[in-house]
Every structure is written in structure tokens, then in C-alpha cells.
Amino acid sequence: MTTADERVLVVPLPVSLRSAPGTARVRGHEVAMATVDDGFVEFVRERSSALLRTARLLCAGDRAAAEDLVQDVLARVYCRWSRIVGDPEPYVRTALFNAAKHRWRRRSRRVAEAQWDDALMSEHPSAEGGHEDQLAARDVAMRALAQLPPRMRAVIVLRFFEDYSEEQTANVLGCSTGTVKSQTSRGLTKLRGLIDLTGDRVEEPR
Amino acid sequence: MNTESDALGRVLHAAVSDVDTPLGFAEAALRKGKQRRKRVRAAMVGTALAITAMVGGLVSSVPVWLADSENVTPASDPRLGRPTGGDLAGDAELLSQSRILWNRELKALLDRLLSNAPAGCWDALGEPHVYWSGRTGAGPASVVMQAIRTTDSCFAHIARGEFTAVGLIGTDSTGKGVHLLGVTLKGAANSEEEVFLFGPDDNTVVALQESGARYYSRRAEVQADGKVTRDWHALSYRDGVATVVIPPAEPRPQPQNDPAFAKRTQAQPGATVPPEDRVRPFSTARSRGMVTGHGNVGYFGWLNLQGHLGGPRLEFAERLRRFNDVLDRMGYSDPAFRGAARARPGELTLIPMAPAGRQGESPSTLQGVTPGLAGGWHVTAVLPDGRTVIVGEEPINNSVHTYAVLWRGDVVDQVIHGAPAERDPVLPVNIRMPDGQGWIVARQGAKLKWRSTTGVWTDLPGDAALLPADAEMVNVTAPGIPSTNVTLGT
């Protein structure tokens, strides 16, 4: 039997954590729970914006869904926080993609992602002037992502937003590199018709 | 990457470039993490209970001719249904490993604790439950429980019925891996409470609240006059478990720690702890020693010493009663273990290690005799001035102290404290009698001879002797020990 956490947190743990309990936890047992909590909160404060950006793309712009996804992953990761040695971000990022994958699988319980313009307008109710062009460009990008099936969207995000290699992407998503290649190819084909990929520079909002 | 890929990357980054987390996001994540951890613990316990119930149901639903005559039901111990406590309760891997080790090592340990009980003496019911998992001074540890039923094939002195086996998973004190270190089966066989000593020199305590232990004492202090006292400190429980690290005594290796536990604090350091207030801990160093073949005895336990040197010949039980009574009454024994039923962690279990042919022996034949000391030794003698003496051993802090109790007629005249014995002394009993009455020396199985200032060696007929006051040196020859001269009084 596996728990929901085990399905999501399938990232291989560092070797020291897979050894028998008590043999490689010298550092761990000296850490009081208060320190563990402090470390967790510090990590979330520093890295949650980056995680949220990835989640926003995975959720095709739905702000609430993205925040829920990140919160859910962080809550799961917290339960194992004391066992993570080294930089926790790769672990958390992989858990994020796994959580997204399982979230999509639970289609019957899936809440439809908000329309991009709804989310956009509630976030920027007073968008003005030149800023509107940038918002429109992002609207286009998010609408385009929303057109992709979730798994294809995850491949695109991993490959072109996270700059993962095909092998790394396949590892995270639990599929073959062949699948990654085909999903990437199909995704790009779809996006070509929705986004201008000719190389014109997109300005980032200031 | 090609231009198209670069462009897509820029589009994606631009699309989320101003995304930021709302205020309180980190605190909310922490709160949700804690809530989730509680839910996970509860769910795991629920699953374990469901499996336990299912297994119990399956077993009890087999035809009568296949089933045991007794009903197999999950144990009624409510602790088996409680969520896992401790600061590592959310560590699913640790919990899983604890259950695996329990299943793998329970049989070997429990069979040993049941005094080499025959196979089939007990059955495990349901699934093991990790009651607590947390960090201790000796590394991560888990308390695991499982319902156990003793069967008809058990010895007469093992109670039959259902009991809760409570064990500790942790790092072996020798540092050789993580094991099931010890198991108590309270009510069925051993008398140790659910207070586990483990780690180096058994210096780490994991006590369960149900043990009743509320105070602990690090070690007995032997004062200059030979009297023994203890200081007591409160145990602090969290999630039903208290953990304490007892700092090692200095100088090492002696004197050693010998922690004791009590339900109530004591008014005076030397006050006798009433038997009803005592909580006998479980020494995992000893239980691991039983499994691995390495362990610390903590007493001589001689069986064949030729110790009767004069005076009335007393049965062992009578000598033991007289000797212990005086030590207890006058404060020369450990206050935490005084009394007729003084049972110490070093003596393990109430069940004597029955030799072949004695397996069915009733416990009544051994009543009143501390198991570890059954068939033990004393030196009895009449001193030149007419006083009688009993010399015996008293384990304090896991080391052996020798005492001599002197009587003038029926009245106790004096108690003499010998130095604590070294780990493997050449001449373990080596105690000067007061008022120039000589020396009492002994080593079981040794050939002894002595000499005085004259330098003439005199052979002794046995392995114990009362020597005159001018004796200066004893020569000891024993199996494994070459001829060695021991200067008396050093």
C-alpha cells in the first residue's frame, strides 16, 4: 500500500536517508523541531515565488489553482523535511511536477482552471496603457498553454521554462525520452499557431 | 537551443515574471504541513487497525477444526490504536523500517527472554504498531508494540493469555546497526517495565508513561562510610514517552551508572524506595548480549565457592536473607533495589535460565531468591575474637562491591565495605577485618597461597580463606590466570 504522499514524493532520497535509521542521522537528531520549522519557513519564503511561477504555468495561468498546488506540495514535503539533506529545491520541484501529474489524473475531482482573462483581470484590475500590451502578450501565452493537454504542457514547461534536458524531463514525469520528444514536437507545433515563436523579443513587465 | 526554443522560453518567463507569493504564504504552508502530518499519522494508524481487524477476522472465520481453540482477537491495549507520537512520527520510511526490523528480530529476542522457550510458545497477533518514533541522545528510535498470545506449550511459569509486547528499535550500543534492542512482555514473563535503557553504557532512556516511572536517578552514590544514596530527577513526558540521556560517570570505567526509576520522589537521598514505587527498567545491553553472546554480568554469581570457613552452617537462602537484611536496614545497598524481591536491571528476568531437566520447575521452588543470584556465594567465618562474619557481594552501579557483616552473638556489630571490584580482578574478595582480625580472601576455583612479612608461602586448602592480620601477599593461580601475586590492601 502506498500513501498519497508516497505517490507524489517519489523523488529518490539522498543515499544517506535510505540507510537504516539511526546510522546517518547524526545531523538530524541534533536539530530541534523548532529549527526544522524555521528552516522550512525560510526555504518557502526564499523560493516560493519561483515555485509559484512554475505552478502558474502548469495550471495555465490559474492563480488560485497554482497557489493550491504549491501549498499542497509544500505541506507534503514538510512531513519529510527533516530527512532532506542538501538543497531541498530539486526535491520540491520534482514533487511539484508529480503533484501536478496526479492532480490532472484525478479528473473527476478536478476543478476547472479559471479562464486566463478572469484570473488576469482580478489580479490586475487597474492595468493601464503600455502595460496592457504586456498583459495581452501574457494572456496569449497562457491561453496557448491552456490549449495543451496537461502532460504536454508539463513537458513544455520543463523543457523551455526550467531548461531541463529530455532525460531529466523523462525522469521527472516518469516516461520515456521518446515520449518527451514526441510531446515536445507536438506541443511546439500547436504553440506555433498560437504564439509568435519567430524570435521577436518579448518584453518583461517592469 | 534554436531560436524557436529561445523565443518560447522568453514567452514563458515573461508570462510569469511578476508572479509573487501572497503575504503569509510561508506560514500557511507550515500550518498546512503540520495539519497534514497529523492526518497522515491518523490515517496510518487507521490502516494498521483495519489490517489488524481484517487479519483477526480472517483467522477467526476459519473452520473450527482449523482454528485454535482460543479466539484470536486483536489485543485490547488501547495504545495499539493510538496515532504514532514523537518528532519522527511523520517519517514514513523510519516507521516502515521499524516494523520490518520488528518482524525480522522479534522471534529471536522473545524466545531468549522466555528462557529458551520452545518454538510455538507464543503467537504474534495482528500487525506491529509503531507507538512512538523520535530522536534520542542515541539516535532515532522507535517504540513498537504488538499483541502476543502465549500458548499451551509455554512453561508453567509463563502466564498464558494475551499480552502486549513492547519493544525498542534503535542503534545497538556497540554501534553495529539498528536492531530490535529489547522487548518487554509485562505480565507474561519478565518483570521489567516499559522503560528502556540503551545506547552507550545504557545511558539513554526511553520511558513509556504507562510504566508509571516519574522520577529517575542516575546512579547510586557510595559514600565514604560505605552507605549508599541516590538523587532523583523528574521525567518529562511528551506524546506518552520520556527520553533522557544520563551523562557517563567519571572516572571511567568505574564507577558506572546504574539508573533507577521510581513512581514517587524520595524524601531523603538514602531513603529506601518502597517496592510499590519502584519501576524496573529494561537493559537492552543485556538483552542484546543474550542474542549476540556479549554482555556485562555485573556480579560474580559464583556457584561453587568453598566459602564456609567456620561458625554455624547456614543454607544459602538464610545467609542471603541475613546479609541482605543488614545491608538494606543500615543503608549499604542501593535504595532503589532494597528488599527481598530486589530485582535489578542487570538481572534481567524473573525466569531462571533453567538447565536441561529443570524446564518444568515451578517458580515456587525459587521464591525469595533473586534469580541472578540463585545458588550464589558467601564466605562465612568466625574471627579470632569470636565474632561471626558473612562476606558477600552487592551489585551497585553494575559493579560488584564486597561487604562483610560482623555479628557479636545475634547482634550486628559492624559492616565493612570492600572496594568495588575491577572488571576482571585476580583476587575479587580481598577485605580486611577490623581490629586486627585478619583478611578474608576468595576467588572461586583458584589455588591460593599466602605469605606474611616472613616471606614464607603457605598453601591454602580451598578457594576462600581467613588469613591472619600479618598476611601481606596472596598468590593466585586460576584457569586462564597465570600465577599472580596480589598485595593485600592495595
Side-chain angles (χ1 to χ4, degrees):
Chain A
M1 188 191 75
T2 56
T3 64
D5 277 358
E6 283 164 350
R7 284 192 295 273
V8 169
L9 305 176
V10 292
V11 194
L13 288 165
V15 171
S16 61
L17 296 182
R18 281 185 265 127
S19 58
T23 56
R25 307 269 179 93
V26 176
R27 189 186 72 130
H29 86 75
E30 292 171 351
V31 180
M33 281 310 290
T35 312
V36 170
D37 289 356
D38 291 347
F40 176 77
V41 169
E42 187 182 354
F43 169 79
V44 176
R45 282 185 181 143
E46 285 182 2
R47 300 305 304 156
S48 57
S49 292
L51 293 169
L52 205 51
R53 286 180 197 128
T54 304
R56 186 74 74 89
L57 292 172
L58 291 172
C59 294
D62 186 332
R63 174 186 175 183
E67 287 182 5
D68 285 350
L69 181 64
V70 174
Q71 287 276 4
D72 183 54
V73 166
L74 289 172
R76 291 170 191 269
V77 168
Y78 171 78
C79 297
R80 298 186 173 199
W81 191 254
S82 59
R83 294 166 49 201
I84 300 174
V85 174
D87 182 8
E89 184 154 353
Y91 182 76
V92 176
R93 278 194 176 276
T94 309
L96 181 68
F97 278 91
N98 276 307
K101 185 171 68 179
H102 286 283
R103 178 170 167 271
W104 298 321
R105 281 180 184 168
R106 296 194 298 268
R107 300 192 72 84
S108 60
R109 283 184 283 161
R110 181 181 163 197
V111 177
E113 273 133 13
Q115 292 298 310
W116 168 241
D117 47 359
D118 295 345
L120 188 69
M121 296 321 288
S122 65
E123 197 174 340
H124 298 279
S126 59
E128 297 174 1
H131 197 57
E132 282 180 359
D133 293 340
Q134 294 160 354
L135 293 178
R138 281 186 286 151
D139 181 23
V140 169
M142 289 302 184
R143 283 180 185 279
L145 281 177
Q147 297 294 311
L148 302 180
R151 185 165 174 164
M152 190 181 289
R153 193 189 310 156
V155 170
I156 294 296
V157 172
L158 280 167
R159 292 282 288 115
F160 301 107
F161 182 73
E162 301 283 1
D163 286 334
Y164 277 32
S165 68
E166 288 170 344
E167 289 75 19
Q168 288 172 318
T169 303
N171 280 337
V172 169
L173 295 178
C175 61
S176 66
T177 51
T179 303
V180 171
K181 283 179 184 173
S182 65
Q183 294 279 307
T184 305
S185 173
R186 287 178 200 164
L188 283 173
T189 304
K190 272 199 170 187
L191 289 174
R192 274 186 208 112
L194 301 167
I195 310 176
D196 178 13
L197 298 179
T198 56
D200 292 343
R201 202 154 177 87
V202 178
E203 276 192 38
E204 296 188 4
R206 310 247 172 240
Chain B
M1 283 206 177
N2 57 33
T3 309
E4 192 175 65
S5 302
D6 291 344
L8 180 54
R10 283 198 299 275
V11 166
L12 295 178
H13 278 98
V16 292
S17 59
D18 61 346
V19 170
D20 206 352
T21 46
L23 282 175
F25 190 84
E27 288 73 17
L30 179 64
R31 189 175 62 252
K32 288 180 180 176
K34 288 184 172 179
Q35 289 169 349
R36 181 172 193 89
R37 191 170 60 182
K38 279 186 184 173
R39 285 200 307 274
V40 168
R41 288 179 190 173
M44 292 178 76
V45 169
T47 304
L49 279 176
I51 292 171
T52 303
M54 210 161 62
V55 171
L58 284 173
V59 173
S60 60
S61 65
V62 299
V64 174
W65 55 272
L66 280 177
D68 212 320
S69 58
E70 295 178 47
N71 288 329
V72 179
T73 56
S76 56
D77 191 331
R79 296 178 299 178
L80 289 165
R82 285 187 200 158
T84 304
D87 58 355
L88 294 177
D91 189 334
E93 185 187 3
L94 178 59
L95 268 53
S96 170
Q97 285 177 332
S98 298
R99 286 188 292 268
I100 290 169
L101 282 170
W102 174 274
N103 286 329
R104 188 184 299 161
E105 299 183 1
L106 178 66
K107 184 179 186 311
L109 192 54
L110 207 50
D111 282 354
R112 289 296 298 168
L113 289 178
L114 295 177
S115 286
N116 291 321
C121 182
W122 56 272
D123 294 324
L125 306 179
E127 293 292 322
H129 168 53
V130 182
Y131 177 74
W132 178 89
S133 194
R135 297 178 176 89
T136 73
S142 297
V143 174
V144 184
M145 299 179 176
Q146 188 168 16
I148 296 290
R149 182 186 60 182
T150 53
T151 65
D152 286 339
S153 60
C154 284
F155 298 152
H157 53 269
I158 297 176
R160 275 191 288 277
E162 274 190 34
F163 305 91
T164 304
V166 180
L168 183 75
I169 308 274
T171 304
D172 190 356
S173 58
T174 58
K176 291 181 179 173
V178 178
H179 294 281
L180 173 57
L181 301 177
V183 174
T184 66
L185 202 58
K186 182 69 180 162
N190 52 332
S191 67
E192 293 93 344
E193 298 287 350
E194 291 152 357
V195 177
F196 295 97
L197 308 178
F198 72 117
D201 296 328
D202 267 357
N203 72 339
T204 306
V205 179
V206 169
L208 273 66
Q209 202 154 11
E210 287 75 9
S211 68
R214 297 293 177 269
Y215 295 89
Y216 77 97
S217 168
R218 175 186 167 198
R219 61 191 297 269
E221 299 291 342
V222 182
Q223 305 300 324
D225 60 359
K227 296 196 176 184
V228 186
T229 61
R230 276 183 178 272
D231 286 329
W232 296 91
H233 311 277
L235 286 166
S236 176
Y237 284 91
R238 188 174 179 182
D239 287 347
V241 171
T243 62
V244 172
V245 175
I246 299 170
E250 297 294 343
R252 292 170 66 85
Q254 289 187 355
Q256 297 176 337
N257 292 330
D258 189 7
F261 298 83
K263 295 176 182 174
R264 278 179 279 273
T265 188
Q266 307 305 311
Q268 300 294 331
T272 299
V273 180
E276 64 272 19
D277 283 355
R278 297 175 193 174
V279 178
R280 188 180 177 204
F282 188 105
S283 165
T284 64
R286 180 55 65 92
S287 57
R288 281 292 294 166
M290 290 171 71
V291 173
T292 62
H294 304 287
N296 176 26
V297 175
Y299 51 89
F300 297 146
W302 293 334
L303 296 172
N304 303 310
L305 184 78
Q306 301 166 49
H308 181 63
L309 306 176
R313 186 179 286 275
L314 301 172
E315 293 296 323
F316 170 72
E318 177 61 14
R319 295 196 309 267
L320 186 71
R321 186 189 66 76
R322 290 191 184 193
F323 183 75
N324 283 352
D325 280 355
V326 173
L327 295 191
D328 289 353
R329 187 157 38 86
M330 299 182 71
Y332 290 96
S333 57
D334 190 333
F337 301 107
R338 286 176 189 156
R342 56 167 81 175
R344 308 169 56 80
E347 289 154 13
L348 262 189
T349 156
L350 287 178
I351 303 163
M353 301 299 282
R358 291 180 60 201
Q359 291 193 344
E361 187 169 25
S362 161
S364 61
T365 59
L366 296 152
Q367 201 166 14
V369 177
T370 309
L373 298 178
W377 66 277
H378 293 102
V379 177
T380 54
V382 178
L383 302 181
D385 64 5
R387 285 181 286 181
T388 56
V389 61
I390 297 179
V391 175
E393 65 182 341
E394 181 65 13
I396 300 172
N397 296 333
N398 276 333
S399 62
V400 183
H401 292 244
T402 51
Y403 284 91
V405 180
L406 280 70
W407 281 267
R408 194 178 296 278
D410 291 335
V411 179
V412 176
D413 180 74
Q414 202 169 347
V415 176
I416 307 295
H417 175 230
E422 298 167 5
R423 180 66 67 186
D424 188 19
V426 175
L427 189 60
V429 176
N430 172 358
I431 185 167
R432 185 201 297 266
M433 296 293 104
D435 308 319
Q437 297 298 298
W439 295 82
I440 286 183
V441 296
R443 178 190 174 97
Q444 180 173 278
K447 286 185 178 176
L448 304 176
K449 54 186 178 182
W450 69 280
R451 78 175 193 197
S452 65
T453 50
T454 63
V456 178
W457 286 101
T458 306
D459 287 333
L460 292 166
D463 51 10
L466 171 61
L467 304 179
D470 63 346
E472 190 179 71
M473 190 173 285
V474 174
N475 178 269
V476 182
T477 306
I481 295 181
S483 176
T484 306
N485 290 337
V486 177
T487 303
L488 295 175
T490 58

